[in-house]
Amino acid sequence: MSEPIIHEDGWSTHNIWEHSATVRDLYRRRARDEVEEMTCAAQAAEILSNYAEPGQSLLDAGCGSGYLFHSVRKRALGLEYFGIDATSAFIDIGRRELSAFGLPKHHLSTLRIEDFRGSADHVLCLNVLSNIDNYHRPLERLLKAARKTLILRESIKDGANYRYVRDNYLNPGISLKVHVNAYDRTELMDFIANYGFAAQEIEDRRTGGSPEDVIGYPHWWTFIVAIRDSSPQ
């Protein structure tokens, strides 16, 4: 009987973000603050400014190379920024580049949202949950972690839509699929409410509520601001 072949690098091997030189270069330039600020990053920081106070902590879940740190820094919000991302190459970039702007290297960690345990005053998660198999487990982690607010930007519409499709924008010779999901707004908002948050939708400034094609598939980008209910139980 032949022995099974077992490797322990399945996650990184099948992680599309590990296989795009174009995205890696972009994330490096963003970390160096060499490119224009993303509209969604600017909007997220502006939303956050309505709730954050100096000295509080911010967790950026699915942070890429941590470039949203610049949006927080430039607005002088006075927050302690921490970022996690499942792609080690992005975290390595952030640790190298953002230290020049004052971010300690240990504030960035290679970590999947599902494997995270901890808390922060404010939690951000932008453009992440729509590209994984489903939102329930990671969103639960983030809701449990957020002491005060959780700010999301995801593909949200009336009625869910799930796709698992080939990403044609990866390095030559790489053939991998990615989830491209749109979540039902009522189901998502009810899920958030069940964890003790009052949530509201905010129109995405970049798209104005219209679908935007990303890797050839529509995304209905929408911001959700969830505020923890602090009323006595």
Side-chain angles (χ1 to χ4, degrees):
M1 180 185 299
S2 62
E3 293 293 326
I5 300 174
I6 299 174
H7 302 288
E8 298 181 358
D9 61 350
W11 168 254
S12 60
T13 299
H14 294 90
N15 176 7
I16 63 166
W17 307 107
E18 293 278 10
H19 301 284
S20 175
T22 300
V23 171
R24 190 174 302 184
D25 178 65
L26 175 61
Y27 281 19
R28 181 178 293 106
R29 289 186 288 123
R30 285 178 177 168
R32 291 175 176 172
D33 199 21
E34 295 176 346
V35 296
E36 184 179 359
E37 182 183 41
M38 295 176 66
T39 306
C40 65
Q43 186 173 3
E46 290 165 15
I47 293 171
L48 184 62
S49 69
N50 295 318
Y51 306 98
E53 298 178 5
Q56 292 180 338
S57 55
L58 168 64
L59 173 67
D60 183 4
C63 67
S65 60
Y67 47 81
L68 194 132
F69 171 73
H70 292 305
S71 298
V72 174
R73 173 181 63 84
K74 290 177 180 178
R75 289 166 178 81
L77 299 185
L79 295 172
E80 283 287 305
Y81 175 93
F82 296 83
I84 62 172
D85 198 280
T87 303
S88 59
F90 294 165
I91 294 298
D92 290 343
I93 291 170
R95 286 174 174 170
R96 285 196 303 271
E97 306 296 345
L98 290 173
S99 59
F101 297 91
L103 184 68
K105 293 182 178 181
H106 69 274
H107 281 212
L108 296 176
S109 302
T110 302
L111 193 65
R112 296 192 308 162
I113 295 174
E114 294 92 331
D115 298 326
F116 163 77
R117 184 170 66 87
S119 63
D121 293 309
H122 307 281
V123 178
L124 284 173
C125 186
L126 308 182
N127 316 335
V128 176
L129 304 182
S130 300
N131 293 127
I132 60 178
D133 53 355
N134 202 354
Y135 69 83
H136 294 107
R137 184 180 290 115
L139 182 54
E140 180 185 53
R141 298 287 191 278
L142 300 181
L143 288 164
K144 288 182 175 181
R147 300 187 196 111
K148 298 181 181 299
T149 68
L150 170 64
I151 299 173
L152 302 174
R153 183 191 190 243
E154 297 297 342
S155 183
I156 302 167
K157 65 183 186 69
D158 293 325
N161 191 313
Y162 291 81
R163 293 186 176 95
Y164 188 53
V165 298
R166 179 175 175 176
D167 187 339
N168 293 314
Y169 296 86
L170 303 179
N171 296 336
I174 300 295
S175 178
L176 293 173
K177 291 185 175 181
V178 62
H179 295 277
V180 178
N181 299 334
Y183 299 123
D184 179 72
R185 58 171 31 92
T186 299
E187 179 187 348
L188 184 63
M189 296 293 265
D190 287 346
F191 185 89
I192 293 171
N194 285 336
Y195 286 83
F197 287 79
Q200 62 172 320
E201 289 189 30
I202 296 179
E203 183 176 282
D204 179 61
R205 184 183 301 161
R206 171 181 168 85
T207 59
S210 299
E212 176 184 48
D213 275 4
V214 180
I215 69 167
Y217 296 91
H219 291 62
W220 289 263
W221 297 122
T222 305
F223 272 94
I224 290 180
V225 179
I227 303 172
R228 182 174 290 280
D229 181 5
S230 59
S231 61
Q233 298 298 314

